[in-house]
Amino acid sequence: MVQLEQLSSRKPSMSVDELLKGFHPSPRFGEVSFASYRPDPSQPSQAAAVKALEHFGSTIGRTKATGLRKLFGGKAKKDTSRAGIYLDGGFGVGKTHLLSSLWHQVEGPKAFGTFVEYTNLVGALSFRKTVEALSHYTLVCIDEFELDDPGDTVLMSRLMRELADAGVKLAATSNTLPGSLGEGRFAAVDFAREIQVLADQFDVLRIDGEDFRHRGLPTPPKPLHNSDLDASMKREFDGQTVAVDDFATLVEHLAGVHPSRYRQLLDGVDAVVWKDVHTISEQSVALRFVVLADRLYDKDVPILASGVPLDELFTPEMMNGGYMKKYFRAVSRLTALAREAQTHEPS
């Protein structure tokens, strides 16, 4: 028997502490380590990156005053190390694995999230409250740093500058355009330019390797007919909790839920079923749905759907516009989750 839910009826509400608790690696990277990373022997930059990150992690937290020093007025040893480290490379070379390994290695309060999750956090809390909350952390990891929105880039540059001034160590990865495979070196230049005054405080680690993902959009499985959804759901997800929604209703509902709460929107959900998927034509609506796609992928939630194929979820103009990397990533991830549901391919 399947336990039915509806995402469109959920309205998650969280405190600041509850929001911050969500800033950790996704279950896909919940137990990774530097030891579990397998460097390609033909790509020496991968092993070099592991060594550099391990050293960076070992220095975090050692330069702060201990409790006894603070009690008796002692001063902490001056921190002369760089504020941050930046992993530059194409898709599929293990940047998120390495960034997650760093997070697992470092002790003390720490945060791990995507670029979008941090900008959403600022939107939910305000810039000042976000700085106050994260300034007490030893490490802040930013996965998939994005450069397609000037306003968000300036916002993140300012946030990182204030956190660095507070003694927080930073680590980030790039988000290379799917159409720029093999051009990851340009990402480092763009990153350094966009974060302006912080650029000289970052060590850049280039990670070479074969970009084995995103060589063009993968073909999604053929959409199911509405009449087949119920039987397929019962066959594939027996004994699980499944959120079944009319796609149009779900899209409309997302407008009333802050994207910072999409992770909690999916709490307890093992799979989703969408009826009558249609092409999204409004940019703001599409960008919200990209965030949901990322959270579904983080939680490895398989998808059954009817309507248009998932590679027609966004308009051709969107897929070739300024936010193309977001839409490309979303379609690729949703396709993987749909394949998992229908053909049992791992996502």
Side-chain angles (χ1 to χ4, degrees):
M1 179 177 290
V2 175
Q3 176 68 41
L4 297 180
E5 293 278 348
Q6 282 185 310
L7 296 183
S8 54
S9 67
R10 293 184 166 194
K11 296 182 179 180
S13 177
M14 281 84 55
S15 66
V16 173
D17 287 342
E18 289 172 324
L19 280 175
L20 291 173
K21 285 180 180 178
F23 279 76
H24 54 75
S26 72
R28 293 174 181 274
F29 300 97
E31 297 182 359
V32 298
S33 66
F34 291 121
S36 66
Y37 181 77
R38 295 290 180 264
D40 184 344
S42 67
Q43 302 290 349
S45 63
Q46 294 185 10
V50 172
K51 185 176 180 180
L53 278 169
E54 282 186 299
H55 174 72
F56 179 73
S58 69
T59 65
I60 296 176
R62 290 189 176 185
T63 55
K64 294 183 179 181
T66 64
L68 285 175
R69 276 186 172 180
K70 290 181 178 179
L71 180 63
F72 294 105
K75 293 183 178 180
K77 181 180 177 182
K78 185 178 180 181
D79 186 359
T80 58
S81 61
R82 296 288 183 105
I85 199 161
Y86 173 78
L87 307 183
D88 178 42
F91 284 95
V93 296
K95 298 190 303 296
T96 300
H97 183 135
L98 291 173
L99 191 67
S100 300
S101 299
L102 175 66
W103 187 90
H104 287 301
Q105 176 191 357
V106 173
E107 297 181 357
K110 53 196 174 181
F112 183 106
T114 63
F115 179 94
V116 172
E117 285 183 292
Y118 285 107
T119 58
N120 286 337
L121 184 66
V122 172
L125 301 184
S126 81
F127 181 84
R128 185 48 48 196
K129 288 184 178 180
T130 300
V131 171
E132 291 173 357
L134 296 179
S135 290
H136 302 289
Y137 284 39
T138 56
L139 172 69
V140 168
C141 296
I142 306 163
D143 200 20
E144 299 178 342
F145 198 98
E146 299 183 355
L147 300 168
D148 54 14
D149 189 307
D152 283 347
T153 303
V154 171
L155 173 71
M156 285 300 295
S157 178
R158 182 184 169 201
L159 176 63
M160 290 193 298
R161 184 176 68 247
E162 296 213 16
L163 293 179
D165 288 345
V168 180
K169 293 299 183 181
L170 307 167
T173 69
S174 63
N175 187 343
T176 307
L177 279 170
S180 301
L181 292 178
E183 301 176 12
R185 287 178 178 81
F186 294 110
V189 175
D190 293 340
F191 177 81
R193 181 185 65 246
E194 296 298 341
I195 65 172
Q196 303 169 22
V197 298
L198 261 183
D200 61 355
Q201 297 186 47
F202 272 78
D203 282 321
V204 176
L205 296 181
R206 171 65 190 176
I207 306 177
D208 297 299
E210 181 183 2
D211 297 312
F212 65 83
R213 292 183 292 144
H214 300 285
R215 294 185 181 276
L217 278 173
T219 302
K222 186 177 180 180
L224 299 173
H225 294 290
N226 280 340
S227 58
D228 296 328
L229 280 177
D230 189 59
S232 295
M233 175 185 66
K234 291 177 180 178
R235 180 177 64 251
E236 299 295 340
F237 308 129
D238 184 42
Q240 301 183 58
T241 299
V242 182
V244 181
D245 289 273
D246 176 81
F247 188 77
T249 302
L250 174 61
V251 169
E252 182 179 356
H253 178 69
L254 291 178
V257 180
H258 195 276
S260 65
R261 295 176 170 82
Y262 285 5
R263 188 188 299 272
Q264 287 74 25
L265 186 72
L266 298 171
D267 278 351
V269 172
D270 299 308
V272 297
V273 174
W274 295 335
K275 297 179 180 179
D276 298 319
V277 172
H278 65 259
T279 300
I280 299 173
S281 58
E282 291 184 48
Q283 190 96 270
S284 60
V285 177
L287 290 174
R288 278 196 298 270
F289 206 84
V290 166
V291 178
L292 180 66
D294 286 340
R295 301 294 78 79
L296 287 165
Y297 189 76
D298 286 346
K299 290 177 173 285
D300 195 16
V301 179
I303 299 168
L304 289 176
S306 66
V308 303
L310 292 174
D311 56 2
E312 296 178 19
L313 186 59
F314 307 111
T315 66
E317 291 77 16
M318 291 176 183
M319 298 299 293
N320 292 283
Y323 295 110
M324 65 170 287
K325 65 175 174 287
K326 287 182 167 67
Y327 299 130
F328 202 105
R329 183 180 75 234
V331 171
S332 181
R333 289 180 168 183
L334 292 173
T335 295
L337 295 173
R339 283 177 169 178
E340 181 178 337
Q342 290 186 231
T343 65
H344 306 135
E345 296 179 42
S347 61

